[in-house]
Amino acid sequence: MDPRILRESLETVLAMDDKFPRRFYEILFERHPQVSSLFVRSSAGAQQKMFAQKLCAIVDHVEDAEWMTRELERMRVAHDEYGVTAEMFPWVGDALLDTLREALGSGFTAEVEQSWRVAYARLTSTLLKER
Amino acid sequence: MRTESTASEISLPWERPRNVFEARALHLVLAWSLDEPDRLGEAIPIRDAVCVGRGGALADDPAPRGQPFRMRPGTTRSCSPIASARISRLHLVVSPTGNGTAEIRSVGRAVMRVNGRACTSAEVRAGDVVEIHNAAVFLVTERPLQLPVVDEELTRFAFGAPDRFGVVGEGEAAWEMRSALAFAASTDRHVLLLGESGAGKELAARTIHGLSSRHAKSLVSRNAATMPESLLDAELFGNVKNYPNPGMPERLGLIGEADGSTLFLDEIGDLPEAHQVHLLRVLDSDGEYQRLGESKVRRSSFRLVAATNRPLEALKHDFLARFTHRVNIHGLGDRRDDIPLLLATLLKRTATRNGAIAAKFFERRGGEIAEPRLAPDLVARLLRHTFTHHVRELDRLLWLAIGSAPADYIGLTPAVEAELNDSEESATVVAPTELDRDAIVKALAENGRSPSKAAKALGLKNRYVLLRLLKKHGLSAASEDGEGEAS
Ligand code: HEM
């Protein structure tokens, strides 16, 4: 997993107006309509911004172990409260990868895909860690 | 051995260096941000070359990171680095030229626009607007690196929010005005407020009253221009019942009402000379006056705060001389850096009063009404508009934008656009270097090679303009290779 590849690819898709986070939720809700009912506290636009910004912050801080521990613990607690369960993680992971693939086109190389798969797997295992 | 130095030992106040408040620099003031709407008004000083981008410094930054500050009189609080996801880690490199301008270079992903025109580098000066496409809008301002200290009491409100009298602003002009109003308030002398209509003279009068020893009584406020001339004396001094005309109700008169308080007379320049003389007589006799139709001499202890948007010649010389303090109420042209904060305040007020507008145009975060969906091009254009009626006009334009909004965001609709002028030629010479090849190639790549979208991102009028430019640079919109070369 190469943090530079994560950053480069995310910066590229984020520079494309607000399409990236919007498309991500579109894909997720299309495939798993049942999760959309968990997203009630924030407007779609705000949720999209918060998601993009958090994802970006995570990618910016992958090498910062202290930040990651602190932030992911906060996220774990929050997502628990939102009613997020383990089975939903691959749904989100697949939607994320497919959104990146769609947005990057030929820029979504095997290397980019691999970096995102590894990063998301690590994130999932931290967020689902036994407490 | 002691040296015979005098310069460093002088401690007379007027000998102390004054340059702390005189050191000035260009600043980039955050006027709009997609991801960080709560950071409006933060300013990045450009004393030496700085890098602007997301997060902290990078090993290969060509210059130190520009530090965003929240500048307040007496303090400048440094803020966290920019965290907006749409701004590249290194996006802008800004270097002062030494002639009151700065060279700004964009090396980030999202296209930069200066005064609406896409470019990769430009020379900017105070008043120019720098946009990072769909990420942030900055206003270039020239201001001191430190604001002169004011009474701490005045600073007890959240950065960017209205103060307790409703005045909004964190720029130099706003603080200069607050300070002048506070000084005037402390003296109990008569005050003349000078400023164009809509600039906020009534709020200024409220501030003086609220900070004065008379604040326990309510302010008596009246617009001289709206009082019928035949009733002026009765309005000012009061009258007994049925005097001068039968059927006239008894009036206390503004002077009587303001006893122990402050009398705010707006548009005093519209008061006919004869009435200025009558008022002057009261001021000269320590508040003695008579109601019409009454022989009894009354006394009112009031402080007069008058306002005018007319040239001072409209006031009689000896009347004018009675105003110890004159305070300038700056129009928006002198405080453009406050426009984003004023917009935010006006919008927030609208949302709290009008649920339908809040539901339609505002984001919700964690169940609370959050930031408005406000298009960056509207903010950018308002920052360049020449206002004649200032805050009142801003409020009106905002309502026009809301009323003409075709969708769920507040943007630059044709109705608003028709009302806006662009101070382009009047303000500054900006030389966005001709829209260069790199910017075009980048915009195309980032907009799925759609000429219409790329044209919009580049700030061009329509896609035909872009197509012409493509031809000029030997590019093609349709080609699939990364460079977009025409074969
Ligand atoms: C890449 C990993 C993820 C990131 C960066 C992320 C980010 C966020 C952020 C920033 C919020 C806003 C509220 C807050 O800050 O707590 C949020 C809320 C939420 N997320 Fe995630 N999330 C991730 C994974 C997931 C997964 C796997 C699910 C499962 C469906 C999920 C479901 C939710 C829900 C239901 C909410 C609350 C929505 C509401 O308040 O209405 N998230 N997420």
Side-chain angles (χ1 to χ4, degrees), chain A residues 7-8 11-12 14 16-17 40-43 46 49-50 53 56 60, chain B residues 34-35 54 83 86 88-89 109 133-134 363-367 371 446:
Chain A
R7 280 177 202 135
E8 286 279 307
E11 266 197 15
T12 306
L14 284 174
M16 299 173 177
D17 295 346
V40 289
R41 290 163 209 84
S42 302
S43 51
K49 285 192 220 175
M50 288 190 282
Q53 206 166 356
C56 180
D60 279 350
Chain B
L34 184 80
D35 290 324
R54 188 181 79 241
R86 283 167 185 78
S88 297
R89 300 233 290 171
R109 277 220 163 65
H133 183 58
N134 270 334
E363 301 289 8
R364 211 164 20 87
R365 291 178 187 245
E371 75 277 13
E446 277 163 11

PDB file of all heavy atoms in Angstrom, chain A residues 7-8 11-12 14 16-17 40-43 46 49-50 53 56 60, chain B residues 34-35 54 83 86 88-89 109 133-134 363-367 371 446:
ATOM      1  N   ARG A   7      -3.249   9.148  -1.990  1.00  0.00           N
ATOM      2  CA  ARG A   7      -3.469  10.603  -2.000  1.00  0.00           C
ATOM      3  C   ARG A   7      -3.679  11.140  -3.404  1.00  0.00           C
ATOM      4  O   ARG A   7      -4.601  11.912  -3.658  1.00  0.00           O
ATOM      5  CB  ARG A   7      -2.254  11.302  -1.389  1.00  0.00           C
ATOM      6  CG  ARG A   7      -2.285  11.253   0.103  1.00  0.00           C
ATOM      7  CD  ARG A   7      -1.052  11.887   0.705  1.00  0.00           C
ATOM      8  NE  ARG A   7      -0.892  11.353   2.025  1.00  0.00           N
ATOM      9  CZ  ARG A   7       0.252  10.929   2.550  1.00  0.00           C
ATOM     10  NH1 ARG A   7       1.371  10.995   1.851  1.00  0.00           N
ATOM     11  NH2 ARG A   7       0.285  10.439   3.762  1.00  0.00           N
ATOM     12  N   GLU A   8      -2.792  10.701  -4.294  1.00  0.00           N
ATOM     13  CA  GLU A   8      -2.886  11.168  -5.678  1.00  0.00           C
ATOM     14  C   GLU A   8      -4.249  10.835  -6.267  1.00  0.00           C
ATOM     15  O   GLU A   8      -4.910  11.677  -6.857  1.00  0.00           O
ATOM     16  CB  GLU A   8      -1.811  10.469  -6.521  1.00  0.00           C
ATOM     17  CG  GLU A   8      -0.414  10.996  -6.279  1.00  0.00           C
ATOM     18  CD  GLU A   8      -0.180  12.278  -7.061  1.00  0.00           C
ATOM     19  OE1 GLU A   8      -0.403  12.261  -8.280  1.00  0.00           O
ATOM     20  OE2 GLU A   8       0.184  13.288  -6.434  1.00  0.00           O
ATOM     21  N   GLU A  11      -7.079  12.818  -4.523  1.00  0.00           N
ATOM     22  CA  GLU A  11      -7.061  14.228  -4.943  1.00  0.00           C
ATOM     23  C   GLU A  11      -7.661  14.377  -6.329  1.00  0.00           C
ATOM     24  O   GLU A  11      -8.413  15.312  -6.588  1.00  0.00           O
ATOM     25  CB  GLU A  11      -5.622  14.780  -4.948  1.00  0.00           C
ATOM     26  CG  GLU A  11      -5.250  15.463  -3.664  1.00  0.00           C
ATOM     27  CD  GLU A  11      -4.007  16.356  -3.797  1.00  0.00           C
ATOM     28  OE1 GLU A  11      -3.600  16.669  -4.927  1.00  0.00           O
ATOM     29  OE2 GLU A  11      -3.466  16.734  -2.751  1.00  0.00           O
ATOM     30  N   THR A  12      -7.324  13.450  -7.200  1.00  0.00           N
ATOM     31  CA  THR A  12      -7.839  13.538  -8.567  1.00  0.00           C
ATOM     32  C   THR A  12      -9.362  13.455  -8.593  1.00  0.00           C
ATOM     33  O   THR A  12     -10.022  14.281  -9.217  1.00  0.00           O
ATOM     34  CB  THR A  12      -7.251  12.410  -9.441  1.00  0.00           C
ATOM     35  OG1 THR A  12      -5.843  12.462  -9.330  1.00  0.00           O
ATOM     36  CG2 THR A  12      -7.663  12.568 -10.891  1.00  0.00           C
ATOM     37  N   LEU A  14     -11.442  13.975  -6.128  1.00  0.00           N
ATOM     38  CA  LEU A  14     -12.095  15.058  -5.374  1.00  0.00           C
ATOM     39  C   LEU A  14     -12.105  16.365  -6.153  1.00  0.00           C
ATOM     40  O   LEU A  14     -12.959  17.222  -5.933  1.00  0.00           O
ATOM     41  CB  LEU A  14     -11.411  15.248  -4.026  1.00  0.00           C
ATOM     42  CG  LEU A  14     -11.754  14.193  -2.984  1.00  0.00           C
ATOM     43  CD1 LEU A  14     -10.910  14.390  -1.740  1.00  0.00           C
ATOM     44  CD2 LEU A  14     -13.235  14.239  -2.618  1.00  0.00           C
ATOM     45  N   MET A  16     -12.919  16.627  -9.040  1.00  0.00           N
ATOM     46  CA  MET A  16     -14.027  16.585 -10.001  1.00  0.00           C
ATOM     47  C   MET A  16     -15.317  17.025  -9.326  1.00  0.00           C
ATOM     48  O   MET A  16     -16.140  16.193  -8.951  1.00  0.00           O
ATOM     49  CB  MET A  16     -14.241  15.159 -10.486  1.00  0.00           C
ATOM     50  CG  MET A  16     -13.049  14.576 -11.198  1.00  0.00           C
ATOM     51  SD  MET A  16     -13.372  12.847 -11.512  1.00  0.00           S
ATOM     52  CE  MET A  16     -11.904  12.393 -12.418  1.00  0.00           C
ATOM     53  N   ASP A  17     -15.513  18.290  -9.156  1.00  0.00           N
ATOM     54  CA  ASP A  17     -16.735  18.804  -8.534  1.00  0.00           C
ATOM     55  C   ASP A  17     -17.118  17.964  -7.317  1.00  0.00           C
ATOM     56  O   ASP A  17     -16.276  17.456  -6.623  1.00  0.00           O
ATOM     57  CB  ASP A  17     -17.871  18.855  -9.552  1.00  0.00           C
ATOM     58  CG  ASP A  17     -17.553  19.859 -10.647  1.00  0.00           C
ATOM     59  OD1 ASP A  17     -16.612  20.643 -10.419  1.00  0.00           O
ATOM     60  OD2 ASP A  17     -18.208  19.865 -11.675  1.00  0.00           O
ATOM     61  N   VAL A  40     -29.782   9.622   8.574  1.00  0.00           N
ATOM     62  CA  VAL A  40     -30.930  10.486   8.833  1.00  0.00           C
ATOM     63  C   VAL A  40     -30.563  11.831   9.458  1.00  0.00           C
ATOM     64  O   VAL A  40     -31.309  12.797   9.339  1.00  0.00           O
ATOM     65  CB  VAL A  40     -31.951   9.794   9.764  1.00  0.00           C
ATOM     66  CG1 VAL A  40     -32.652   8.668   9.024  1.00  0.00           C
ATOM     67  CG2 VAL A  40     -31.275   9.259  11.013  1.00  0.00           C
ATOM     68  N   ARG A  41     -29.393  11.885  10.108  1.00  0.00           N
ATOM     69  CA  ARG A  41     -29.106  13.100  10.901  1.00  0.00           C
ATOM     70  C   ARG A  41     -28.623  14.269  10.051  1.00  0.00           C
ATOM     71  O   ARG A  41     -28.747  15.417  10.453  1.00  0.00           O
ATOM     72  CB  ARG A  41     -28.065  12.790  11.977  1.00  0.00           C
ATOM     73  CG  ARG A  41     -28.595  11.904  13.082  1.00  0.00           C
ATOM     74  CD  ARG A  41     -27.450  11.302  13.883  1.00  0.00           C
ATOM     75  NE  ARG A  41     -27.832  10.014  14.428  1.00  0.00           N
ATOM     76  CZ  ARG A  41     -27.764   8.866  13.756  1.00  0.00           C
ATOM     77  NH1 ARG A  41     -27.298   8.849  12.521  1.00  0.00           N
ATOM     78  NH2 ARG A  41     -28.144   7.742  14.308  1.00  0.00           N
ATOM     79  N   SER A  42     -28.036  13.945   8.914  1.00  0.00           N
ATOM     80  CA  SER A  42     -27.452  15.020   8.111  1.00  0.00           C
ATOM     81  C   SER A  42     -28.055  15.019   6.717  1.00  0.00           C
ATOM     82  O   SER A  42     -28.497  13.979   6.231  1.00  0.00           O
ATOM     83  CB  SER A  42     -25.935  14.843   8.020  1.00  0.00           C
ATOM     84  OG  SER A  42     -25.385  14.824   9.317  1.00  0.00           O
ATOM     85  N   SER A  43     -28.042  16.186   6.084  1.00  0.00           N
ATOM     86  CA  SER A  43     -28.517  16.267   4.707  1.00  0.00           C
ATOM     87  C   SER A  43     -27.506  15.546   3.816  1.00  0.00           C
ATOM     88  O   SER A  43     -26.342  15.382   4.191  1.00  0.00           O
ATOM     89  CB  SER A  43     -28.655  17.723   4.292  1.00  0.00           C
ATOM     90  OG  SER A  43     -27.475  18.431   4.577  1.00  0.00           O
ATOM     91  N   ALA A  46     -24.289  17.467   3.207  1.00  0.00           N
ATOM     92  CA  ALA A  46     -23.395  17.541   4.354  1.00  0.00           C
ATOM     93  C   ALA A  46     -22.727  16.190   4.589  1.00  0.00           C
ATOM     94  O   ALA A  46     -21.522  16.113   4.858  1.00  0.00           O
ATOM     95  CB  ALA A  46     -24.161  17.983   5.592  1.00  0.00           C
ATOM     96  N   LYS A  49     -19.970  15.732   2.113  1.00  0.00           N
ATOM     97  CA  LYS A  49     -18.776  16.524   2.435  1.00  0.00           C
ATOM     98  C   LYS A  49     -18.011  15.899   3.593  1.00  0.00           C
ATOM     99  O   LYS A  49     -16.793  15.809   3.570  1.00  0.00           O
ATOM    100  CB  LYS A  49     -19.187  17.939   2.845  1.00  0.00           C
ATOM    101  CG  LYS A  49     -19.612  18.836   1.716  1.00  0.00           C
ATOM    102  CD  LYS A  49     -19.691  20.264   2.245  1.00  0.00           C
ATOM    103  CE  LYS A  49     -20.867  21.007   1.719  1.00  0.00           C
ATOM    104  NZ  LYS A  49     -21.008  22.335   2.315  1.00  0.00           N
ATOM    105  N   MET A  50     -18.771  15.476   4.639  1.00  0.00           N
ATOM    106  CA  MET A  50     -18.104  14.927   5.824  1.00  0.00           C
ATOM    107  C   MET A  50     -17.359  13.649   5.476  1.00  0.00           C
ATOM    108  O   MET A  50     -16.246  13.415   5.943  1.00  0.00           O
ATOM    109  CB  MET A  50     -19.133  14.669   6.931  1.00  0.00           C
ATOM    110  CG  MET A  50     -19.654  15.939   7.572  1.00  0.00           C
ATOM    111  SD  MET A  50     -20.631  15.628   9.050  1.00  0.00           S
ATOM    112  CE  MET A  50     -22.189  15.124   8.379  1.00  0.00           C
ATOM    113  N   GLN A  53     -14.268  14.468   3.379  1.00  0.00           N
ATOM    114  CA  GLN A  53     -13.245  15.130   4.170  1.00  0.00           C
ATOM    115  C   GLN A  53     -12.565  14.168   5.137  1.00  0.00           C
ATOM    116  O   GLN A  53     -11.359  14.217   5.338  1.00  0.00           O
ATOM    117  CB  GLN A  53     -13.849  16.310   4.920  1.00  0.00           C
ATOM    118  CG  GLN A  53     -12.785  17.335   5.198  1.00  0.00           C
ATOM    119  CD  GLN A  53     -13.345  18.655   5.633  1.00  0.00           C
ATOM    120  OE1 GLN A  53     -14.543  18.837   5.662  1.00  0.00           O
ATOM    121  NE2 GLN A  53     -12.468  19.561   5.979  1.00  0.00           N
ATOM    122  N   CYS A  56     -10.292  11.847   3.236  1.00  0.00           N
ATOM    123  CA  CYS A  56      -9.097  12.587   2.865  1.00  0.00           C
ATOM    124  C   CYS A  56      -8.155  12.723   4.065  1.00  0.00           C
ATOM    125  O   CYS A  56      -6.949  12.530   3.954  1.00  0.00           O
ATOM    126  CB  CYS A  56      -9.531  13.949   2.351  1.00  0.00           C
ATOM    127  SG  CYS A  56      -8.205  14.996   1.860  1.00  0.00           S
ATOM    128  N   ASP A  60      -4.434  11.297   4.402  1.00  0.00           N
ATOM    129  CA  ASP A  60      -3.327  12.214   4.715  1.00  0.00           C
ATOM    130  C   ASP A  60      -2.526  11.748   5.923  1.00  0.00           C
ATOM    131  O   ASP A  60      -1.366  12.100   6.076  1.00  0.00           O
ATOM    132  CB  ASP A  60      -3.864  13.622   5.021  1.00  0.00           C
ATOM    133  CG  ASP A  60      -4.163  14.408   3.757  1.00  0.00           C
ATOM    134  OD1 ASP A  60      -3.777  13.945   2.666  1.00  0.00           O
ATOM    135  OD2 ASP A  60      -4.793  15.482   3.855  1.00  0.00           O
TER     136      ASP A  60
ATOM    137  N   LEU B  34     -15.966  25.227   0.718  1.00  0.00           N
ATOM    138  CA  LEU B  34     -16.944  24.150   0.626  1.00  0.00           C
ATOM    139  C   LEU B  34     -16.898  23.288   1.882  1.00  0.00           C
ATOM    140  O   LEU B  34     -17.930  22.994   2.474  1.00  0.00           O
ATOM    141  CB  LEU B  34     -16.653  23.271  -0.601  1.00  0.00           C
ATOM    142  CG  LEU B  34     -17.702  22.176  -0.799  1.00  0.00           C
ATOM    143  CD1 LEU B  34     -18.941  22.734  -1.456  1.00  0.00           C
ATOM    144  CD2 LEU B  34     -17.156  21.018  -1.617  1.00  0.00           C
ATOM    145  N   ASP B  35     -15.697  22.898   2.280  1.00  0.00           N
ATOM    146  CA  ASP B  35     -15.574  21.938   3.373  1.00  0.00           C
ATOM    147  C   ASP B  35     -15.431  22.579   4.741  1.00  0.00           C
ATOM    148  O   ASP B  35     -15.670  21.925   5.751  1.00  0.00           O
ATOM    149  CB  ASP B  35     -14.366  21.024   3.127  1.00  0.00           C
ATOM    150  CG  ASP B  35     -14.608  20.064   1.966  1.00  0.00           C
ATOM    151  OD1 ASP B  35     -15.756  19.619   1.818  1.00  0.00           O
ATOM    152  OD2 ASP B  35     -13.667  19.781   1.219  1.00  0.00           O
ATOM    153  N   ARG B  54      -3.454  21.957   1.528  1.00  0.00           N
ATOM    154  CA  ARG B  54      -4.101  21.189   2.589  1.00  0.00           C
ATOM    155  C   ARG B  54      -3.043  20.607   3.526  1.00  0.00           C
ATOM    156  O   ARG B  54      -2.023  20.104   3.066  1.00  0.00           O
ATOM    157  CB  ARG B  54      -4.901  20.059   1.942  1.00  0.00           C
ATOM    158  CG  ARG B  54      -5.782  19.279   2.884  1.00  0.00           C
ATOM    159  CD  ARG B  54      -6.510  18.184   2.155  1.00  0.00           C
ATOM    160  NE  ARG B  54      -5.656  17.041   1.921  1.00  0.00           N
ATOM    161  CZ  ARG B  54      -5.332  16.580   0.724  1.00  0.00           C
ATOM    162  NH1 ARG B  54      -5.778  17.160  -0.353  1.00  0.00           N
ATOM    163  NH2 ARG B  54      -4.547  15.532   0.606  1.00  0.00           N
ATOM    164  N   ALA B  83      -7.928  22.253   5.827  1.00  0.00           N
ATOM    165  CA  ALA B  83      -8.188  20.808   5.786  1.00  0.00           C
ATOM    166  C   ALA B  83      -9.140  20.448   4.657  1.00  0.00           C
ATOM    167  O   ALA B  83      -9.582  19.307   4.564  1.00  0.00           O
ATOM    168  CB  ALA B  83      -8.751  20.356   7.129  1.00  0.00           C
ATOM    169  N   ARG B  86     -10.691  19.309  -1.104  1.00  0.00           N
ATOM    170  CA  ARG B  86     -10.558  19.642  -2.529  1.00  0.00           C
ATOM    171  C   ARG B  86      -9.390  20.551  -2.843  1.00  0.00           C
ATOM    172  O   ARG B  86      -9.174  20.928  -3.977  1.00  0.00           O
ATOM    173  CB  ARG B  86     -11.859  20.251  -3.044  1.00  0.00           C
ATOM    174  CG  ARG B  86     -12.908  19.180  -3.267  1.00  0.00           C
ATOM    175  CD  ARG B  86     -14.258  19.769  -3.456  1.00  0.00           C
ATOM    176  NE  ARG B  86     -15.248  18.721  -3.560  1.00  0.00           N
ATOM    177  CZ  ARG B  86     -15.736  18.057  -2.523  1.00  0.00           C
ATOM    178  NH1 ARG B  86     -15.306  18.330  -1.307  1.00  0.00           N
ATOM    179  NH2 ARG B  86     -16.635  17.114  -2.699  1.00  0.00           N
ATOM    180  N   SER B  88      -5.405  20.886  -2.978  1.00  0.00           N
ATOM    181  CA  SER B  88      -4.264  19.969  -3.026  1.00  0.00           C
ATOM    182  C   SER B  88      -3.326  20.241  -1.858  1.00  0.00           C
ATOM    183  O   SER B  88      -3.344  21.318  -1.268  1.00  0.00           O
ATOM    184  CB  SER B  88      -3.514  20.127  -4.339  1.00  0.00           C
ATOM    185  OG  SER B  88      -4.344  19.779  -5.410  1.00  0.00           O
ATOM    186  N   ARG B  89      -2.476  19.250  -1.572  1.00  0.00           N
ATOM    187  CA  ARG B  89      -1.554  19.413  -0.440  1.00  0.00           C
ATOM    188  C   ARG B  89      -0.640  20.615  -0.657  1.00  0.00           C
ATOM    189  O   ARG B  89      -0.293  21.319   0.279  1.00  0.00           O
ATOM    190  CB  ARG B  89      -0.735  18.137  -0.263  1.00  0.00           C
ATOM    191  CG  ARG B  89      -1.651  16.947   0.003  1.00  0.00           C
ATOM    192  CD  ARG B  89      -1.269  16.189   1.224  1.00  0.00           C
ATOM    193  NE  ARG B  89      -0.031  15.476   1.064  1.00  0.00           N
ATOM    194  CZ  ARG B  89       0.580  14.877   2.083  1.00  0.00           C
ATOM    195  NH1 ARG B  89       0.068  14.942   3.299  1.00  0.00           N
ATOM    196  NH2 ARG B  89       1.689  14.222   1.871  1.00  0.00           N
ATOM    197  N   ARG B 109      -4.427  20.726  -8.114  1.00  0.00           N
ATOM    198  CA  ARG B 109      -5.256  20.031  -9.102  1.00  0.00           C
ATOM    199  C   ARG B 109      -6.407  20.902  -9.574  1.00  0.00           C
ATOM    200  O   ARG B 109      -6.603  21.101 -10.758  1.00  0.00           O
ATOM    201  CB  ARG B 109      -5.823  18.764  -8.486  1.00  0.00           C
ATOM    202  CG  ARG B 109      -4.857  17.642  -8.547  1.00  0.00           C
ATOM    203  CD  ARG B 109      -5.570  16.343  -8.891  1.00  0.00           C
ATOM    204  NE  ARG B 109      -4.586  15.356  -9.342  1.00  0.00           N
ATOM    205  CZ  ARG B 109      -3.647  14.875  -8.547  1.00  0.00           C
ATOM    206  NH1 ARG B 109      -3.545  15.283  -7.301  1.00  0.00           N
ATOM    207  NH2 ARG B 109      -2.775  13.995  -9.008  1.00  0.00           N
ATOM    208  N   HIS B 133     -11.261  26.230  -7.688  1.00  0.00           N
ATOM    209  CA  HIS B 133     -12.543  25.749  -8.208  1.00  0.00           C
ATOM    210  C   HIS B 133     -13.267  24.815  -7.237  1.00  0.00           C
ATOM    211  O   HIS B 133     -12.735  23.770  -6.852  1.00  0.00           O
ATOM    212  CB  HIS B 133     -12.315  25.048  -9.550  1.00  0.00           C
ATOM    213  CG  HIS B 133     -13.584  24.592 -10.202  1.00  0.00           C
ATOM    214  ND1 HIS B 133     -14.600  25.462 -10.522  1.00  0.00           N
ATOM    215  CD2 HIS B 133     -14.006  23.365 -10.565  1.00  0.00           C
ATOM    216  CE1 HIS B 133     -15.590  24.782 -11.067  1.00  0.00           C
ATOM    217  NE2 HIS B 133     -15.263  23.510 -11.106  1.00  0.00           N
ATOM    218  N   ASN B 134     -14.461  25.230  -6.858  1.00  0.00           N
ATOM    219  CA  ASN B 134     -15.307  24.430  -5.967  1.00  0.00           C
ATOM    220  C   ASN B 134     -14.691  24.074  -4.627  1.00  0.00           C
ATOM    221  O   ASN B 134     -15.154  23.151  -3.963  1.00  0.00           O
ATOM    222  CB  ASN B 134     -15.745  23.138  -6.644  1.00  0.00           C
ATOM    223  CG  ASN B 134     -17.040  23.337  -7.379  1.00  0.00           C
ATOM    224  OD1 ASN B 134     -17.823  24.220  -7.024  1.00  0.00           O
ATOM    225  ND2 ASN B 134     -17.280  22.531  -8.388  1.00  0.00           N
ATOM    226  N   GLU B 363     -27.679  23.020   4.617  1.00  0.00           N
ATOM    227  CA  GLU B 363     -27.312  21.652   4.965  1.00  0.00           C
ATOM    228  C   GLU B 363     -27.718  21.408   6.420  1.00  0.00           C
ATOM    229  O   GLU B 363     -27.902  22.360   7.195  1.00  0.00           O
ATOM    230  CB  GLU B 363     -25.789  21.440   4.838  1.00  0.00           C
ATOM    231  CG  GLU B 363     -25.213  21.702   3.463  1.00  0.00           C
ATOM    232  CD  GLU B 363     -25.587  20.650   2.416  1.00  0.00           C
ATOM    233  OE1 GLU B 363     -26.425  19.766   2.709  1.00  0.00           O
ATOM    234  OE2 GLU B 363     -25.064  20.737   1.290  1.00  0.00           O
ATOM    235  N   ARG B 364     -27.857  20.148   6.738  1.00  0.00           N
ATOM    236  CA  ARG B 364     -28.148  19.751   8.106  1.00  0.00           C
ATOM    237  C   ARG B 364     -27.012  18.832   8.533  1.00  0.00           C
ATOM    238  O   ARG B 364     -26.617  17.947   7.791  1.00  0.00           O
ATOM    239  CB  ARG B 364     -29.474  18.989   8.118  1.00  0.00           C
ATOM    240  CG  ARG B 364     -30.302  19.088   9.342  1.00  0.00           C
ATOM    241  CD  ARG B 364     -31.758  18.627   9.085  1.00  0.00           C
ATOM    242  NE  ARG B 364     -31.914  17.777   7.907  1.00  0.00           N
ATOM    243  CZ  ARG B 364     -31.767  16.450   7.911  1.00  0.00           C
ATOM    244  NH1 ARG B 364     -31.429  15.820   9.009  1.00  0.00           N
ATOM    245  NH2 ARG B 364     -31.946  15.755   6.802  1.00  0.00           N
ATOM    246  N   ARG B 365     -26.464  19.092   9.693  1.00  0.00           N
ATOM    247  CA  ARG B 365     -25.408  18.214  10.215  1.00  0.00           C
ATOM    248  C   ARG B 365     -25.808  17.748  11.594  1.00  0.00           C
ATOM    249  O   ARG B 365     -26.075  18.572  12.461  1.00  0.00           O
ATOM    250  CB  ARG B 365     -24.074  18.959  10.322  1.00  0.00           C
ATOM    251  CG  ARG B 365     -23.455  19.301   8.976  1.00  0.00           C
ATOM    252  CD  ARG B 365     -22.166  20.081   9.186  1.00  0.00           C
ATOM    253  NE  ARG B 365     -21.648  20.568   7.910  1.00  0.00           N
ATOM    254  CZ  ARG B 365     -20.500  20.180   7.370  1.00  0.00           C
ATOM    255  NH1 ARG B 365     -19.738  19.317   7.984  1.00  0.00           N
ATOM    256  NH2 ARG B 365     -20.109  20.659   6.221  1.00  0.00           N
ATOM    257  N   GLY B 366     -25.842  16.427  11.787  1.00  0.00           N
ATOM    258  CA  GLY B 366     -26.188  15.868  13.095  1.00  0.00           C
ATOM    259  C   GLY B 366     -27.497  16.419  13.621  1.00  0.00           C
ATOM    260  O   GLY B 366     -27.651  16.649  14.815  1.00  0.00           O
ATOM    261  N   GLY B 367     -28.467  16.667  12.731  1.00  0.00           N
ATOM    262  CA  GLY B 367     -29.779  17.120  13.152  1.00  0.00           C
ATOM    263  C   GLY B 367     -29.905  18.636  13.301  1.00  0.00           C
ATOM    264  O   GLY B 367     -30.980  19.149  13.577  1.00  0.00           O
ATOM    265  N   GLU B 371     -24.457  24.951   7.435  1.00  0.00           N
ATOM    266  CA  GLU B 371     -24.115  26.011   6.493  1.00  0.00           C
ATOM    267  C   GLU B 371     -25.094  26.053   5.316  1.00  0.00           C
ATOM    268  O   GLU B 371     -25.667  25.047   4.940  1.00  0.00           O
ATOM    269  CB  GLU B 371     -22.678  25.819   5.983  1.00  0.00           C
ATOM    270  CG  GLU B 371     -22.478  24.709   4.962  1.00  0.00           C
ATOM    271  CD  GLU B 371     -22.313  23.326   5.588  1.00  0.00           C
ATOM    272  OE1 GLU B 371     -22.592  23.176   6.793  1.00  0.00           O
ATOM    273  OE2 GLU B 371     -21.927  22.397   4.852  1.00  0.00           O
ATOM    274  N   GLU B 446     -10.158  17.025 -15.844  1.00  0.00           N
ATOM    275  CA  GLU B 446     -10.915  16.943 -14.604  1.00  0.00           C
ATOM    276  C   GLU B 446     -12.414  16.993 -14.810  1.00  0.00           C
ATOM    277  O   GLU B 446     -13.183  16.786 -13.892  1.00  0.00           O
ATOM    278  CB  GLU B 446     -10.495  18.087 -13.675  1.00  0.00           C
ATOM    279  CG  GLU B 446      -9.254  17.721 -12.918  1.00  0.00           C
ATOM    280  CD  GLU B 446      -8.578  18.935 -12.329  1.00  0.00           C
ATOM    281  OE1 GLU B 446      -9.192  20.015 -12.344  1.00  0.00           O
ATOM    282  OE2 GLU B 446      -7.447  18.782 -11.868  1.00  0.00           O
TER     283      GLU B 446
END
